[in-house]
PDB file of all heavy atoms in Angstrom:
ATOM      1  N   TRP R 100      57.302 -23.340   9.432  1.00 93.00           N
ATOM      2  CA  TRP R 100      56.410 -22.262   9.022  1.00 93.00           C
ATOM      3  C   TRP R 100      57.119 -20.905   9.144  1.00 93.00           C
ATOM      4  O   TRP R 100      56.935 -20.016   8.310  1.00 93.00           O
ATOM      5  CB  TRP R 100      55.132 -22.271   9.858  1.00 93.00           C
ATOM      6  CG  TRP R 100      54.342 -20.993   9.671  1.00 93.00           C
ATOM      7  CD1 TRP R 100      54.075 -20.045  10.608  1.00 93.00           C
ATOM      8  CD2 TRP R 100      53.773 -20.502   8.446  1.00 93.00           C
ATOM      9  NE1 TRP R 100      53.373 -18.999  10.056  1.00 93.00           N
ATOM     10  CE2 TRP R 100      53.171 -19.255   8.717  1.00 93.00           C
ATOM     11  CE3 TRP R 100      53.721 -20.997   7.146  1.00 93.00           C
ATOM     12  CZ2 TRP R 100      52.523 -18.499   7.758  1.00 93.00           C
ATOM     13  CZ3 TRP R 100      53.078 -20.242   6.164  1.00 93.00           C
ATOM     14  CH2 TRP R 100      52.480 -19.014   6.470  1.00 93.00           C
ATOM     15  N   GLY R 101      57.985 -20.733  10.151  1.00 93.00           N
ATOM     16  CA  GLY R 101      58.713 -19.484  10.327  1.00 93.00           C
ATOM     17  C   GLY R 101      59.586 -19.157   9.116  1.00 93.00           C
ATOM     18  O   GLY R 101      59.628 -18.005   8.655  1.00 93.00           O
ATOM     19  N   GLU R 102      60.280 -20.188   8.581  1.00 94.00           N
ATOM     20  CA  GLU R 102      61.129 -19.984   7.396  1.00 94.00           C
ATOM     21  C   GLU R 102      60.281 -19.580   6.185  1.00 94.00           C
ATOM     22  O   GLU R 102      60.634 -18.668   5.434  1.00 94.00           O
ATOM     23  CB  GLU R 102      61.894 -21.268   7.067  1.00 94.00           C
ATOM     24  CG  GLU R 102      62.973 -21.645   8.058  1.00 94.00           C
ATOM     25  CD  GLU R 102      63.587 -22.999   7.737  1.00 94.00           C
ATOM     26  OE1 GLU R 102      62.879 -24.025   7.886  1.00 94.00           O
ATOM     27  OE2 GLU R 102      64.757 -23.033   7.317  1.00 94.00           O
ATOM     28  N   VAL R 103      59.147 -20.285   6.021  1.00 94.00           N
ATOM     29  CA  VAL R 103      58.267 -20.001   4.888  1.00 94.00           C
ATOM     30  C   VAL R 103      57.669 -18.601   5.014  1.00 94.00           C
ATOM     31  O   VAL R 103      57.615 -17.838   4.038  1.00 94.00           O
ATOM     32  CB  VAL R 103      57.139 -21.066   4.790  1.00 94.00           C
ATOM     33  CG1 VAL R 103      56.128 -20.708   3.694  1.00 94.00           C
ATOM     34  CG2 VAL R 103      57.726 -22.450   4.522  1.00 94.00           C
ATOM     35  N   TYR R 104      57.253 -18.244   6.216  1.00 93.00           N
ATOM     36  CA  TYR R 104      56.632 -16.930   6.457  1.00 93.00           C
ATOM     37  C   TYR R 104      57.609 -15.792   6.144  1.00 93.00           C
ATOM     38  O   TYR R 104      57.257 -14.804   5.484  1.00 93.00           O
ATOM     39  CB  TYR R 104      56.153 -16.863   7.912  1.00 93.00           C
ATOM     40  CG  TYR R 104      55.546 -15.544   8.332  1.00 93.00           C
ATOM     41  CD1 TYR R 104      54.660 -14.856   7.506  1.00 93.00           C
ATOM     42  CD2 TYR R 104      55.860 -14.974   9.569  1.00 93.00           C
ATOM     43  CE1 TYR R 104      54.098 -13.642   7.894  1.00 93.00           C
ATOM     44  CE2 TYR R 104      55.310 -13.762   9.965  1.00 93.00           C
ATOM     45  CZ  TYR R 104      54.429 -13.104   9.120  1.00 93.00           C
ATOM     46  OH  TYR R 104      53.888 -11.907   9.488  1.00 93.00           O
ATOM     47  N   ASN R 105      58.855 -15.940   6.589  1.00 93.00           N
ATOM     48  CA  ASN R 105      59.867 -14.908   6.304  1.00 93.00           C
ATOM     49  C   ASN R 105      60.109 -14.768   4.801  1.00 93.00           C
ATOM     50  O   ASN R 105      60.280 -13.663   4.290  1.00 93.00           O
ATOM     51  CB  ASN R 105      61.181 -15.232   7.021  1.00 93.00           C
ATOM     52  CG  ASN R 105      61.068 -15.017   8.527  1.00 93.00           C
ATOM     53  OD1 ASN R 105      60.279 -14.184   8.979  1.00 93.00           O
ATOM     54  ND2 ASN R 105      61.844 -15.766   9.300  1.00 93.00           N
ATOM     55  N   GLU R 106      60.111 -15.907   4.109  1.00 93.00           N
ATOM     56  CA  GLU R 106      60.315 -15.880   2.653  1.00 93.00           C
ATOM     57  C   GLU R 106      59.113 -15.259   1.951  1.00 93.00           C
ATOM     58  O   GLU R 106      59.271 -14.521   0.968  1.00 93.00           O
ATOM     59  CB  GLU R 106      60.568 -17.309   2.138  1.00 93.00           C
ATOM     60  CG  GLU R 106      60.983 -17.390   0.682  1.00 93.00           C
ATOM     61  CD  GLU R 106      62.293 -16.674   0.375  1.00 93.00           C
ATOM     62  OE1 GLU R 106      63.257 -16.802   1.155  1.00 93.00           O
ATOM     63  OE2 GLU R 106      62.333 -15.957  -0.649  1.00 93.00           O
ATOM     64  N   LEU R 107      57.906 -15.535   2.451  1.00 92.00           N
ATOM     65  CA  LEU R 107      56.685 -14.960   1.869  1.00 92.00           C
ATOM     66  C   LEU R 107      56.721 -13.440   1.906  1.00 92.00           C
ATOM     67  O   LEU R 107      56.323 -12.768   0.940  1.00 92.00           O
ATOM     68  CB  LEU R 107      55.447 -15.453   2.628  1.00 92.00           C
ATOM     69  CG  LEU R 107      54.954 -16.873   2.324  1.00 92.00           C
ATOM     70  CD1 LEU R 107      53.930 -17.318   3.366  1.00 92.00           C
ATOM     71  CD2 LEU R 107      54.350 -16.965   0.934  1.00 92.00           C
ATOM     72  N   LYS R 108      57.191 -12.881   3.016  1.00 91.00           N
ATOM     73  CA  LYS R 108      57.230 -11.424   3.160  1.00 91.00           C
ATOM     74  C   LYS R 108      58.167 -10.773   2.149  1.00 91.00           C
ATOM     75  O   LYS R 108      57.955  -9.643   1.728  1.00 91.00           O
ATOM     76  CB  LYS R 108      57.647 -11.049   4.599  1.00 91.00           C
ATOM     77  CG  LYS R 108      56.566 -11.318   5.623  1.00 91.00           C
ATOM     78  CD  LYS R 108      56.887 -10.699   6.972  1.00 91.00           C
ATOM     79  CE  LYS R 108      57.932 -11.478   7.727  1.00 91.00           C
ATOM     80  NZ  LYS R 108      58.130 -10.986   9.111  1.00 91.00           N
ATOM     81  N   ILE R 109      59.190 -11.531   1.743  1.00 89.00           N
ATOM     82  CA  ILE R 109      60.150 -11.007   0.758  1.00 89.00           C
ATOM     83  C   ILE R 109      59.622 -11.180  -0.667  1.00 89.00           C
ATOM     84  O   ILE R 109      59.595 -10.239  -1.464  1.00 89.00           O
ATOM     85  CB  ILE R 109      61.515 -11.721   0.900  1.00 89.00           C
ATOM     86  CG1 ILE R 109      62.090 -11.504   2.298  1.00 89.00           C
ATOM     87  CG2 ILE R 109      62.493 -11.264  -0.181  1.00 89.00           C
ATOM     88  CD1 ILE R 109      63.233 -12.432   2.652  1.00 89.00           C
ATOM     89  N   CYS R 110      59.167 -12.403  -0.987  1.00 89.00           N
ATOM     90  CA  CYS R 110      58.833 -12.711  -2.388  1.00 89.00           C
ATOM     91  C   CYS R 110      57.516 -12.089  -2.848  1.00 89.00           C
ATOM     92  O   CYS R 110      57.300 -11.912  -4.047  1.00 89.00           O
ATOM     93  CB  CYS R 110      58.813 -14.216  -2.617  1.00 89.00           C
ATOM     94  SG  CYS R 110      57.430 -15.090  -1.859  1.00 89.00           S
ATOM     95  N   CYS R 111      56.616 -11.752  -1.920  1.00 87.00           N
ATOM     96  CA  CYS R 111      55.301 -11.231  -2.329  1.00 87.00           C
ATOM     97  C   CYS R 111      55.421  -9.906  -3.094  1.00 87.00           C
ATOM     98  O   CYS R 111      54.575  -9.569  -3.913  1.00 87.00           O
ATOM     99  CB  CYS R 111      54.379 -11.074  -1.136  1.00 87.00           C
ATOM    100  SG  CYS R 111      54.910  -9.837   0.072  1.00 87.00           S
ATOM    101  N   GLU R 112      56.497  -9.160  -2.843  1.00 87.00           N
ATOM    102  CA  GLU R 112      56.678  -7.873  -3.505  1.00 87.00           C
ATOM    103  C   GLU R 112      57.004  -8.006  -4.988  1.00 87.00           C
ATOM    104  O   GLU R 112      56.843  -7.056  -5.758  1.00 87.00           O
ATOM    105  CB  GLU R 112      57.802  -7.082  -2.816  1.00 87.00           C
ATOM    106  CG  GLU R 112      57.473  -6.680  -1.388  1.00 87.00           C
ATOM    107  CD  GLU R 112      58.593  -5.864  -0.766  1.00 87.00           C
ATOM    108  OE1 GLU R 112      59.491  -5.420  -1.512  1.00 87.00           O
ATOM    109  OE2 GLU R 112      58.571  -5.668   0.463  1.00 87.00           O
ATOM    110  N   SER R 113      57.477  -9.194  -5.396  1.00 88.00           N
ATOM    111  CA  SER R 113      57.924  -9.366  -6.789  1.00 88.00           C
ATOM    112  C   SER R 113      56.812  -9.833  -7.730  1.00 88.00           C
ATOM    113  O   SER R 113      57.017  -9.936  -8.936  1.00 88.00           O
ATOM    114  CB  SER R 113      59.074 -10.379  -6.836  1.00 88.00           C
ATOM    115  OG  SER R 113      58.597 -11.663  -6.440  1.00 88.00           O
ATOM    116  N   ILE R 114      55.618 -10.122  -7.191  1.00 89.00           N
ATOM    117  CA  ILE R 114      54.539 -10.684  -8.022  1.00 89.00           C
ATOM    118  C   ILE R 114      53.811  -9.578  -8.781  1.00 89.00           C
ATOM    119  O   ILE R 114      53.435  -8.559  -8.216  1.00 89.00           O
ATOM    120  CB  ILE R 114      53.560 -11.499  -7.158  1.00 89.00           C
ATOM    121  CG1 ILE R 114      54.296 -12.684  -6.527  1.00 89.00           C
ATOM    122  CG2 ILE R 114      52.384 -12.003  -7.995  1.00 89.00           C
ATOM    123  CD1 ILE R 114      53.506 -13.448  -5.504  1.00 89.00           C
ATOM    124  N   GLN R 115      53.612  -9.818 -10.083  1.00 90.00           N
ATOM    125  CA  GLN R 115      52.892  -8.875 -10.932  1.00 90.00           C
ATOM    126  C   GLN R 115      51.609  -9.532 -11.447  1.00 90.00           C
ATOM    127  O   GLN R 115      51.556 -10.748 -11.629  1.00 90.00           O
ATOM    128  CB  GLN R 115      53.758  -8.449 -12.119  1.00 90.00           C
ATOM    129  CG  GLN R 115      55.071  -7.803 -11.698  1.00 90.00           C
ATOM    130  CD  GLN R 115      55.865  -7.340 -12.902  1.00 90.00           C
ATOM    131  OE1 GLN R 115      55.438  -6.465 -13.647  1.00 90.00           O
ATOM    132  NE2 GLN R 115      57.043  -7.923 -13.091  1.00 90.00           N
ATOM    133  N   VAL R 116      50.584  -8.727 -11.692  1.00 90.00           N
ATOM    134  CA  VAL R 116      49.319  -9.223 -12.246  1.00 90.00           C
ATOM    135  C   VAL R 116      49.200  -8.695 -13.678  1.00 90.00           C
ATOM    136  O   VAL R 116      49.173  -7.484 -13.891  1.00 90.00           O
ATOM    137  CB  VAL R 116      48.112  -8.762 -11.394  1.00 90.00           C
ATOM    138  CG1 VAL R 116      46.814  -9.320 -11.975  1.00 90.00           C
ATOM    139  CG2 VAL R 116      48.272  -9.210  -9.943  1.00 90.00           C
ATOM    140  N   PHE R 117      49.158  -9.613 -14.650  1.00 87.00           N
ATOM    141  CA  PHE R 117      49.080  -9.241 -16.059  1.00 87.00           C
ATOM    142  C   PHE R 117      47.741  -9.675 -16.656  1.00 87.00           C
ATOM    143  O   PHE R 117      47.223 -10.747 -16.328  1.00 87.00           O
ATOM    144  CB  PHE R 117      50.190  -9.920 -16.868  1.00 87.00           C
ATOM    145  CG  PHE R 117      51.551  -9.300 -16.709  1.00 87.00           C
ATOM    146  CD1 PHE R 117      51.761  -8.205 -15.885  1.00 87.00           C
ATOM    147  CD2 PHE R 117      52.644  -9.821 -17.397  1.00 87.00           C
ATOM    148  CE1 PHE R 117      53.020  -7.642 -15.739  1.00 87.00           C
ATOM    149  CE2 PHE R 117      53.912  -9.266 -17.261  1.00 87.00           C
ATOM    150  CZ  PHE R 117      54.100  -8.178 -16.435  1.00 87.00           C
ATOM    151  N   GLU R 118      47.234  -8.849 -17.547  1.00 85.00           N
ATOM    152  CA  GLU R 118      46.079  -9.224 -18.372  1.00 85.00           C
ATOM    153  C   GLU R 118      46.616  -9.489 -19.777  1.00 85.00           C
ATOM    154  O   GLU R 118      47.204  -8.597 -20.403  1.00 85.00           O
ATOM    155  CB  GLU R 118      45.061  -8.081 -18.389  1.00 85.00           C
ATOM    156  CG  GLU R 118      43.843  -8.358 -19.252  1.00 85.00           C
ATOM    157  CD  GLU R 118      42.950  -7.120 -19.398  1.00 85.00           C
ATOM    158  OE1 GLU R 118      43.149  -6.143 -18.654  1.00 85.00           O
ATOM    159  OE2 GLU R 118      42.082  -7.136 -20.277  1.00 85.00           O
ATOM    160  N   ILE R 119      46.448 -10.700 -20.274  1.00 82.00           N
ATOM    161  CA  ILE R 119      47.042 -11.078 -21.562  1.00 82.00           C
ATOM    162  C   ILE R 119      45.935 -11.221 -22.619  1.00 82.00           C
ATOM    163  O   ILE R 119      45.261 -12.247 -22.704  1.00 82.00           O
ATOM    164  CB  ILE R 119      47.846 -12.394 -21.447  1.00 82.00           C
ATOM    165  CG1 ILE R 119      48.831 -12.318 -20.279  1.00 82.00           C
ATOM    166  CG2 ILE R 119      48.570 -12.703 -22.752  1.00 82.00           C
ATOM    167  CD1 ILE R 119      49.878 -11.229 -20.381  1.00 82.00           C
ATOM    168  N   ASN R 120      45.725 -10.165 -23.373  1.00 76.00           N
ATOM    169  CA  ASN R 120      44.804 -10.208 -24.528  1.00 76.00           C
ATOM    170  C   ASN R 120      45.155  -9.062 -25.468  1.00 76.00           C
ATOM    171  O   ASN R 120      46.062  -8.265 -25.205  1.00 76.00           O
ATOM    172  CB  ASN R 120      43.335 -10.158 -24.079  1.00 76.00           C
ATOM    173  CG  ASN R 120      43.013  -8.919 -23.258  1.00 76.00           C
ATOM    174  OD1 ASN R 120      43.476  -7.820 -23.545  1.00 76.00           O
ATOM    175  ND2 ASN R 120      42.225  -9.100 -22.198  1.00 76.00           N
ATOM    176  N   GLY R 121      44.429  -8.977 -26.571  1.00 70.00           N
ATOM    177  CA  GLY R 121      44.732  -7.981 -27.601  1.00 70.00           C
ATOM    178  C   GLY R 121      44.552  -6.552 -27.150  1.00 70.00           C
ATOM    179  O   GLY R 121      45.132  -5.635 -27.742  1.00 70.00           O
ATOM    180  N   ASN R 122      43.759  -6.331 -26.103  1.00 71.00           N
ATOM    181  CA  ASN R 122      43.504  -4.959 -25.632  1.00 71.00           C
ATOM    182  C   ASN R 122      44.545  -4.463 -24.637  1.00 71.00           C
ATOM    183  O   ASN R 122      44.647  -3.275 -24.378  1.00 71.00           O
ATOM    184  CB  ASN R 122      42.122  -4.875 -24.957  1.00 71.00           C
ATOM    185  CG  ASN R 122      40.999  -5.112 -25.945  1.00 71.00           C
ATOM    186  OD1 ASN R 122      41.226  -5.176 -27.146  1.00 71.00           O
ATOM    187  ND2 ASN R 122      39.781  -5.255 -25.447  1.00 71.00           N
ATOM    188  N   SER R 123      45.282  -5.385 -24.051  1.00 69.00           N
ATOM    189  CA  SER R 123      46.171  -5.036 -22.938  1.00 69.00           C
ATOM    190  C   SER R 123      47.586  -4.719 -23.417  1.00 69.00           C
ATOM    191  O   SER R 123      48.061  -5.275 -24.411  1.00 69.00           O
ATOM    192  CB  SER R 123      46.208  -6.194 -21.938  1.00 69.00           C
ATOM    193  OG  SER R 123      47.197  -5.982 -20.969  1.00 69.00           O
ATOM    194  N   GLN R 124      48.251  -3.842 -22.663  1.00 69.00           N
ATOM    195  CA  GLN R 124      49.657  -3.513 -22.940  1.00 69.00           C
ATOM    196  C   GLN R 124      50.610  -4.495 -22.244  1.00 69.00           C
ATOM    197  O   GLN R 124      51.806  -4.493 -22.511  1.00 69.00           O
ATOM    198  CB  GLN R 124      49.963  -2.081 -22.454  1.00 69.00           C
ATOM    199  CG  GLN R 124      49.150  -0.997 -23.130  1.00 69.00           C
ATOM    200  CD  GLN R 124      49.354  -0.966 -24.627  1.00 69.00           C
ATOM    201  OE1 GLN R 124      50.480  -0.933 -25.109  1.00 69.00           O
ATOM    202  NE2 GLN R 124      48.265  -0.999 -25.377  1.00 69.00           N
TER     203      GLN R 124
END
Side-chain angles (χ1 to χ4, degrees):
W100 167 245
E102 291 174 291
V103 174
Y104 177 43
N105 288 332
E106 188 62 43
L107 282 167
K108 288 191 284 187
I109 300 165
C110 71
C111 65
E112 294 182 13
S113 65
I114 297 172
Q115 301 183 64
V116 181
F117 283 0
E118 178 188 348
I119 309 299
N120 58 40
N122 294 351
S123 171
Q124 299 301 309

